[in-house]
PDB file of all heavy atoms in Angstrom:
ATOM      1  N   GLU A  80     -31.910  60.869  36.833  1.00 86.00           N
ATOM      2  CA  GLU A  80     -31.341  62.029  37.571  1.00 86.00           C
ATOM      3  C   GLU A  80     -32.103  63.122  37.346  1.00 86.00           C
ATOM      4  O   GLU A  80     -32.275  63.614  36.197  1.00 86.00           O
ATOM      5  CB  GLU A  80     -29.826  62.145  37.150  1.00 86.00           C
ATOM      6  CG  GLU A  80     -29.100  63.235  37.780  1.00 86.00           C
ATOM      7  CD  GLU A  80     -27.792  63.572  37.160  1.00 86.00           C
ATOM      8  OE1 GLU A  80     -27.383  62.743  36.463  1.00 86.00           O
ATOM      9  OE2 GLU A  80     -27.264  64.661  37.408  1.00 86.00           O
ATOM     10  N   ILE A  81     -32.482  63.927  38.409  1.00 84.00           N
ATOM     11  CA  ILE A  81     -33.330  65.158  38.253  1.00 84.00           C
ATOM     12  C   ILE A  81     -32.521  66.347  38.030  1.00 84.00           C
ATOM     13  O   ILE A  81     -31.509  66.584  38.729  1.00 84.00           O
ATOM     14  CB  ILE A  81     -34.287  65.358  39.487  1.00 84.00           C
ATOM     15  CG1 ILE A  81     -35.071  64.109  39.681  1.00 84.00           C
ATOM     16  CG2 ILE A  81     -35.026  66.619  39.454  1.00 84.00           C
ATOM     17  CD1 ILE A  81     -35.726  63.982  41.025  1.00 84.00           C
ATOM     18  N   PRO A  82     -32.685  67.126  36.847  1.00 80.00           N
ATOM     19  CA  PRO A  82     -31.873  68.293  36.654  1.00 80.00           C
ATOM     20  C   PRO A  82     -31.943  69.279  37.748  1.00 80.00           C
ATOM     21  O   PRO A  82     -33.142  69.514  38.380  1.00 80.00           O
ATOM     22  CB  PRO A  82     -32.474  68.793  35.236  1.00 80.00           C
ATOM     23  CG  PRO A  82     -33.423  67.777  34.829  1.00 80.00           C
ATOM     24  CD  PRO A  82     -33.654  66.929  36.014  1.00 80.00           C
ATOM     25  N   LYS A  83     -30.854  69.938  37.932  1.00 79.00           N
ATOM     26  CA  LYS A  83     -30.754  71.074  38.981  1.00 79.00           C
ATOM     27  C   LYS A  83     -31.492  72.416  38.449  1.00 79.00           C
ATOM     28  O   LYS A  83     -31.431  72.493  37.190  1.00 79.00           O
ATOM     29  CB  LYS A  83     -29.319  71.434  39.270  1.00 79.00           C
ATOM     30  CG  LYS A  83     -28.685  70.167  40.081  1.00 79.00           C
ATOM     31  CD  LYS A  83     -27.281  70.636  40.408  1.00 79.00           C
ATOM     32  CE  LYS A  83     -26.585  69.571  41.243  1.00 79.00           C
ATOM     33  NZ  LYS A  83     -25.709  68.799  40.587  1.00 79.00           N
ATOM     34  N   ASP A  84     -32.129  73.085  39.289  1.00 79.00           N
ATOM     35  CA  ASP A  84     -32.714  74.303  38.821  1.00 79.00           C
ATOM     36  C   ASP A  84     -33.689  74.191  37.803  1.00 79.00           C
ATOM     37  O   ASP A  84     -33.939  75.068  37.082  1.00 79.00           O
ATOM     38  CB  ASP A  84     -31.691  75.299  38.326  1.00 79.00           C
ATOM     39  CG  ASP A  84     -30.599  75.568  39.410  1.00 79.00           C
ATOM     40  OD1 ASP A  84     -30.964  75.608  40.588  1.00 79.00           O
ATOM     41  OD2 ASP A  84     -29.451  75.738  39.086  1.00 79.00           O
ATOM     42  N   VAL A  85     -34.448  73.063  37.606  1.00 81.00           N
ATOM     43  CA  VAL A  85     -35.650  72.813  36.764  1.00 81.00           C
ATOM     44  C   VAL A  85     -36.880  72.792  37.562  1.00 81.00           C
ATOM     45  O   VAL A  85     -36.884  71.989  38.415  1.00 81.00           O
ATOM     46  CB  VAL A  85     -35.387  71.690  35.870  1.00 81.00           C
ATOM     47  CG1 VAL A  85     -36.595  71.417  34.985  1.00 81.00           C
ATOM     48  CG2 VAL A  85     -34.154  71.933  34.968  1.00 81.00           C
ATOM     49  N   LYS A  86     -37.783  73.630  37.237  1.00 86.00           N
ATOM     50  CA  LYS A  86     -39.074  73.620  38.070  1.00 86.00           C
ATOM     51  C   LYS A  86     -40.131  72.952  37.197  1.00 86.00           C
ATOM     52  O   LYS A  86     -40.316  73.298  36.023  1.00 86.00           O
ATOM     53  CB  LYS A  86     -39.490  75.128  38.342  1.00 86.00           C
ATOM     54  CG  LYS A  86     -40.853  75.259  39.021  1.00 86.00           C
ATOM     55  CD  LYS A  86     -41.254  76.609  39.232  1.00 86.00           C
ATOM     56  CE  LYS A  86     -42.520  76.710  39.950  1.00 86.00           C
ATOM     57  NZ  LYS A  86     -43.206  77.949  39.777  1.00 86.00           N
ATOM     58  N   PRO A  87     -40.729  72.027  37.801  1.00 87.00           N
ATOM     59  CA  PRO A  87     -41.872  71.298  37.061  1.00 87.00           C
ATOM     60  C   PRO A  87     -43.009  72.217  36.684  1.00 87.00           C
ATOM     61  O   PRO A  87     -43.338  73.175  37.290  1.00 87.00           O
ATOM     62  CB  PRO A  87     -42.336  70.186  38.018  1.00 87.00           C
ATOM     63  CG  PRO A  87     -41.511  70.248  39.126  1.00 87.00           C
ATOM     64  CD  PRO A  87     -40.710  71.521  39.178  1.00 87.00           C
ATOM     65  N   LEU A  88     -43.621  71.946  35.582  1.00 89.00           N
ATOM     66  CA  LEU A  88     -44.765  72.679  35.104  1.00 89.00           C
ATOM     67  C   LEU A  88     -46.108  72.041  35.733  1.00 89.00           C
ATOM     68  O   LEU A  88     -46.145  70.921  35.951  1.00 89.00           O
ATOM     69  CB  LEU A  88     -45.010  72.555  33.580  1.00 89.00           C
ATOM     70  CG  LEU A  88     -43.866  73.256  32.777  1.00 89.00           C
ATOM     71  CD1 LEU A  88     -44.166  72.957  31.254  1.00 89.00           C
ATOM     72  CD2 LEU A  88     -43.896  74.709  32.979  1.00 89.00           C
ATOM     73  N   SER A  89     -47.049  72.967  36.220  1.00 90.00           N
ATOM     74  CA  SER A  89     -48.244  72.491  36.807  1.00 90.00           C
ATOM     75  C   SER A  89     -49.234  72.100  35.761  1.00 90.00           C
ATOM     76  O   SER A  89     -49.235  72.666  34.624  1.00 90.00           O
ATOM     77  CB  SER A  89     -48.868  73.672  37.633  1.00 90.00           C
ATOM     78  OG  SER A  89     -47.976  74.031  38.770  1.00 90.00           O
ATOM     79  N   LEU A  90     -50.187  71.305  36.054  1.00 91.00           N
ATOM     80  CA  LEU A  90     -51.240  70.860  35.175  1.00 91.00           C
ATOM     81  C   LEU A  90     -52.472  71.895  35.393  1.00 91.00           C
ATOM     82  O   LEU A  90     -52.752  72.147  36.447  1.00 91.00           O
ATOM     83  CB  LEU A  90     -51.674  69.484  35.446  1.00 91.00           C
ATOM     84  CG  LEU A  90     -50.631  68.306  35.130  1.00 91.00           C
ATOM     85  CD1 LEU A  90     -51.265  66.996  35.423  1.00 91.00           C
ATOM     86  CD2 LEU A  90     -50.097  68.434  33.837  1.00 91.00           C
ATOM     87  N   GLY A  91     -53.005  72.289  34.204  1.00 94.00           N
ATOM     88  CA  GLY A  91     -54.008  73.321  34.304  1.00 94.00           C
ATOM     89  C   GLY A  91     -55.428  72.456  34.622  1.00 94.00           C
ATOM     90  O   GLY A  91     -55.421  71.219  34.581  1.00 94.00           O
ATOM     91  N   ASN A  92     -56.495  73.202  34.806  1.00 95.00           N
ATOM     92  CA  ASN A  92     -57.776  72.665  35.140  1.00 95.00           C
ATOM     93  C   ASN A  92     -58.551  72.553  33.776  1.00 95.00           C
ATOM     94  O   ASN A  92     -58.689  73.442  33.069  1.00 95.00           O
ATOM     95  CB  ASN A  92     -58.527  73.526  36.056  1.00 95.00           C
ATOM     96  CG  ASN A  92     -59.784  72.982  36.410  1.00 95.00           C
ATOM     97  OD1 ASN A  92     -60.449  72.241  35.629  1.00 95.00           O
ATOM     98  ND2 ASN A  92     -60.431  73.513  37.559  1.00 95.00           N
ATOM     99  N   PRO A  93     -58.793  71.256  33.340  1.00 94.00           N
ATOM    100  CA  PRO A  93     -59.537  71.127  32.085  1.00 94.00           C
ATOM    101  C   PRO A  93     -60.806  71.967  31.923  1.00 94.00           C
ATOM    102  O   PRO A  93     -61.116  72.360  30.769  1.00 94.00           O
ATOM    103  CB  PRO A  93     -59.742  69.655  31.945  1.00 94.00           C
ATOM    104  CG  PRO A  93     -59.592  68.996  33.211  1.00 94.00           C
ATOM    105  CD  PRO A  93     -58.723  70.000  34.086  1.00 94.00           C
ATOM    106  N   SER A  94     -61.521  72.226  33.104  1.00 94.00           N
ATOM    107  CA  SER A  94     -62.748  73.066  32.926  1.00 94.00           C
ATOM    108  C   SER A  94     -62.553  74.536  32.569  1.00 94.00           C
ATOM    109  O   SER A  94     -63.590  75.205  32.181  1.00 94.00           O
ATOM    110  CB  SER A  94     -63.458  72.872  34.297  1.00 94.00           C
ATOM    111  OG  SER A  94     -62.901  73.554  35.209  1.00 94.00           O
ATOM    112  N   THR A  95     -61.242  74.898  32.638  1.00 94.00           N
ATOM    113  CA  THR A  95     -60.934  76.366  32.276  1.00 94.00           C
ATOM    114  C   THR A  95     -60.554  76.604  30.939  1.00 94.00           C
ATOM    115  O   THR A  95     -60.365  77.686  30.406  1.00 94.00           O
ATOM    116  CB  THR A  95     -59.881  76.925  33.258  1.00 94.00           C
ATOM    117  OG1 THR A  95     -58.739  76.201  33.100  1.00 94.00           O
ATOM    118  CG2 THR A  95     -60.370  76.788  34.721  1.00 94.00           C
ATOM    119  N   ILE A  96     -60.416  75.360  30.063  1.00 96.00           N
ATOM    120  CA  ILE A  96     -60.043  75.539  28.691  1.00 96.00           C
ATOM    121  C   ILE A  96     -61.238  76.051  27.699  1.00 96.00           C
ATOM    122  O   ILE A  96     -62.376  75.423  27.895  1.00 96.00           O
ATOM    123  CB  ILE A  96     -59.600  74.122  28.222  1.00 96.00           C
ATOM    124  CG1 ILE A  96     -58.412  73.695  29.039  1.00 96.00           C
ATOM    125  CG2 ILE A  96     -59.235  74.257  26.730  1.00 96.00           C
ATOM    126  CD1 ILE A  96     -58.050  72.274  28.699  1.00 96.00           C
ATOM    127  N   LYS A  97     -61.003  77.140  27.109  1.00 96.00           N
ATOM    128  CA  LYS A  97     -62.139  77.750  26.468  1.00 96.00           C
ATOM    129  C   LYS A  97     -61.561  78.157  24.976  1.00 96.00           C
ATOM    130  O   LYS A  97     -60.457  78.565  24.712  1.00 96.00           O
ATOM    131  CB  LYS A  97     -62.558  79.086  27.114  1.00 96.00           C
ATOM    132  CG  LYS A  97     -62.928  78.921  28.505  1.00 96.00           C
ATOM    133  CD  LYS A  97     -64.192  78.291  28.743  1.00 96.00           C
ATOM    134  CE  LYS A  97     -64.656  78.184  30.156  1.00 96.00           C
ATOM    135  NZ  LYS A  97     -65.146  76.933  30.633  1.00 96.00           N
TER     136      LYS A  97
END
Side-chain angles (χ1 to χ4, degrees):
E80 179 187 348
I81 300 168
K83 294 180 175 108
D84 302 323
V85 174
K86 181 182 172 194
L88 295 170
S89 298
L90 299 180
N92 182 338
S94 67
T95 65
I96 300 170
K97 305 286 183 227

